[in-house]
């Protein structure tokens, strides 16, 4: 078989390595090559608009590995450099929420049929019409409703010519592990392994830890002191990328991301904790980015009780997801809050903030703690 010519996905990855943004890594390079091959095959057939060609399935990829290994970065390169128009990238849970909403619409429209009609054709028809390439971030099955649905849903999508490229922290055989009636998801796992190339991203190290070794991730003082410190951390975490505006979708609405690059997002305290955000919103942010930078965390007195409660919830979420946090605080952690209404809860937050700046946490060696 003749060697494949370099694809823009290959070239974009090589450029990041050559510029020093990325450290050379054989596993990442291999994954980039797999994704480049998929992009090339999709592009080679994208101009053929016959009914047959639209339903010809191009095998996708399921890339899994531990947090911080570069999955998001590789998905960024692949999606941006694949030059077909009918492509979509979305978080897995957001995609499944949309599917369930469409099923609910179908049930209302088909109320007279008393459940005799299958909603899957109704749900998948517009997806197939609009999407040749479906990129799903953070593929993770954690509830029985999705477990029961996935097999029929993706069988229809694959039959319609949709190519799936997904990232996950777990291997296909680990999906819905120990879940109720797990046997219901096993046919889907077999289908997934048949329709995608499963690749474990066994990068040698967690690059967040490598980049942050010896760095102070928290800064204290006035904004004119903390912001330059966080600017430097941003440069370290993103390899010098400027970043761009983005958005995260949660429960059908958009949460603006003022600045993002290379799996890192930057917000102000006001944007995260004074906005009407809740637990699901923070979970979606934590699922979308491996590192969060927060500017201008103020003193948290009684007039900021609501914002303090949101900060507590945010830190709990980032901690549970093992996300990296860099932040600028107006005062040392033990002097940050003065509000008896949140004092008890904030004690745990202080403990977690202290832990989140430790070498062990940044190296990813913290074990899950049930509280």
């Amino acid at each position: 078989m003749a060697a494949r010519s370099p694809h823009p996905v290959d070239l974009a990855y090589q450029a990041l390595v050559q510029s020093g943004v990325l450290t050379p890594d054989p596993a990442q390079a291999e994954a980039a090559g797999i994704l480049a091959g998929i992009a090339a095959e999709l592009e080679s057939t994208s101009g053929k608009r016959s009914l047959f060609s639209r339903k010809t399935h191009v095998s996708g990829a399921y890339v899994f590995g531990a947090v911080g290994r570069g999955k998001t970065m590789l998905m960024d390169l692949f999606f941006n450099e694949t030059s077909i128009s009918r492509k979509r990238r979305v978080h897995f849970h957001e995609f499944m929420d949309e599917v369930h909403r469409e099923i609910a619409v179908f049930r209302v429209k088909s109320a007279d049929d008393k459940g005799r009609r299958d909603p899957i054709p109704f749900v998948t028809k517009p997806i197939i019409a609009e999407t040749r390439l479906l990129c799903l971030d953070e593929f993770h099955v954690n509830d029985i409703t999705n477990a029961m649905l996935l097999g029929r849903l993706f069988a229809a999508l694959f039959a319609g010519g949709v190519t799936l490229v997904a990232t996950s922290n777990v291997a296909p055989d680990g999906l819905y592990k120990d879940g109720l009636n797990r046997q219901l998801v096993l046919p889907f796992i077999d289908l997934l392994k048949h329709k995608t190339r499963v690749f474990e991203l066994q990068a040698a190290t967690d690059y967040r830890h490598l980049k942050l070794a010896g760095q102070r991730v928290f800064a204290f003082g006035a904004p004119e002191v903390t912001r330059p410190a966080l600017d430097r951390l941003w440069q370290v975490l993103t390899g010098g990328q400027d970043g761009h505006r983005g958005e995260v979708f949660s429960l059908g609405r958009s949460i603006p991301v003022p600045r993002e690059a290379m799996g890192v997002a930057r917000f102000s305290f006001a944007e995260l904790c004074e906005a009407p955000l809740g637990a699901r919103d923070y979970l979606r942010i934590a699922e979308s980015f491996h590192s969060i930078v927060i500017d201008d965390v103020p003193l948290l007195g009684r007039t900021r009780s609501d914002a303090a409660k949101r900060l507590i919830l945010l830190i709990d979420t980032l901690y549970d997801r093992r996300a990296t946090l860099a932040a600028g605080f107006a005062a040392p952690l033990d002097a940050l809050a003065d509000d008896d209404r949140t004092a008890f809860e904030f004690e745990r937050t202080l403990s977690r903030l202290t832990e989140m700046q430790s070498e062990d946490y940044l190296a990813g060696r913290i074990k899950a703690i049930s509280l």
Side-chain angles (χ1 to χ4, degrees):
M1 182 181 294
R4 175 179 57 81
S5 300
H7 185 274
V9 174
D10 299 301
L11 299 176
Y13 176 77
Q14 293 165 12
L16 290 173
V17 173
Q18 291 167 2
S19 66
V21 173
L22 296 178
T23 302
D25 184 279
Q28 287 185 350
E30 184 178 358
I34 291 169
L35 296 174
I38 295 169
E41 188 172 358
L42 285 167
E43 290 163 356
S44 71
T45 59
S46 65
K48 302 173 183 177
R49 294 301 183 187
S50 70
L51 181 63
F52 175 78
S53 68
R54 285 183 65 182
K55 290 191 176 182
T56 299
H57 182 260
V58 173
S59 294
Y62 181 96
V63 181
F64 74 97
V67 173
R69 268 42 176 188
K71 300 186 298 295
T72 298
M73 175 272 299
L74 289 167
M75 183 74 96
D76 286 344
L77 294 183
F78 171 69
F79 187 80
N80 293 336
E81 301 295 339
T82 301
S83 59
I84 64 172
S85 59
R86 294 193 303 125
K87 62 180 180 178
R88 187 186 181 202
R89 180 178 178 180
V90 63
H91 191 276
F92 172 74
H93 289 307
E94 184 68 19
F95 176 72
M96 294 306 297
D97 285 348
E98 292 175 3
V99 168
H100 287 296
R101 286 197 295 272
E102 289 303 307
I103 289 175
V105 170
F106 174 84
R107 298 294 188 206
V108 172
K109 291 182 176 180
S110 306
D112 292 342
D113 295 328
K114 298 180 181 179
R116 288 188 293 267
R117 293 175 59 198
D118 183 2
I120 295 301
F122 173 85
V123 172
T124 57
K125 183 177 180 179
I127 299 175
I128 292 168
E130 299 169 3
T131 312
R132 179 83 189 280
L133 169 63
L134 178 62
C135 295
L136 295 180
D137 291 299
E138 296 283 348
F139 205 109
H140 180 68
V141 185
N142 58 2
D143 67 73
I144 191 170
T145 306
N146 285 341
M148 295 172 63
L149 180 63
L150 286 172
R152 292 188 300 124
L153 174 67
F154 278 91
L157 292 176
F158 291 145
V162 175
T163 293
L164 171 68
V165 172
T167 64
S168 180
N169 292 338
V170 298
D173 288 330
L175 292 171
Y176 199 52
K177 186 177 180 181
D178 302 323
L180 180 65
N181 293 326
R182 186 173 186 265
Q183 70 275 8
L184 295 173
V185 84
L186 297 181
F188 164 71
I189 292 174
D190 290 339
L191 179 67
L192 181 65
K193 291 191 287 187
H194 179 65
K195 293 294 187 178
T196 67
R197 177 170 176 178
V198 178
F199 182 81
E200 182 177 7
L201 191 60
Q202 293 180 315
T205 188
D206 183 332
Y207 289 97
R208 292 176 302 167
H209 180 237
L210 180 64
K211 291 177 178 180
L212 290 173
Q215 300 279 345
R216 297 176 67 89
V217 293
F218 293 171
F220 302 95
E224 55 266 27
V225 174
T226 59
R227 288 180 190 169
L230 294 181
D231 288 342
R232 291 190 290 271
L233 276 172
W234 174 270
Q235 295 294 310
V236 169
L237 283 166
T238 66
Q241 301 293 295
D242 289 336
H244 55 86
R245 293 188 65 83
E247 57 186 341
V248 168
F249 292 94
S250 175
L251 300 175
R253 62 192 179 89
S254 172
I255 302 171
V257 180
R259 192 175 178 189
E260 65 170 274
M262 303 295 288
V264 185
R266 189 167 183 176
F267 300 86
S268 70
F269 173 84
E271 289 161 339
L272 278 180
C273 298
E274 293 178 357
L277 301 180
R280 183 63 181 269
D281 303 318
Y282 293 141
L283 179 60
R284 285 290 295 108
I285 290 170
E287 289 173 337
S288 300
F289 303 100
H290 61 69
S291 300
I292 307 294
V293 180
I294 305 176
D295 286 294
D296 305 334
V297 181
L299 293 172
L300 300 172
R302 290 180 66 86
T303 59
R304 286 196 170 100
S305 289
D306 289 344
K309 290 177 181 177
R310 291 194 184 96
L311 179 64
I312 291 167
L313 181 58
L314 172 63
I315 297 305
D316 284 347
T317 305
L318 297 179
Y319 181 91
D320 290 341
R321 292 287 302 181
R322 301 298 175 259
T324 296
L325 173 67
F329 298 93
L333 296 179
D334 59 2
L336 193 63
D338 182 20
D339 182 358
D340 54 5
R341 290 172 293 187
T342 59
F344 178 78
E345 294 172 285
F346 207 77
E347 283 298 317
R348 183 178 64 180
T349 300
L350 291 179
S351 174
R352 291 189 164 184
L353 285 170
T354 299
E355 192 173 341
M356 291 172 82
Q357 60 184 321
S358 69
E359 280 290 312
D360 278 347
Y361 182 91
L362 295 174
R365 292 193 294 266
I366 305 301
K367 295 181 179 180
I369 299 174
S370 298
L371 292 175

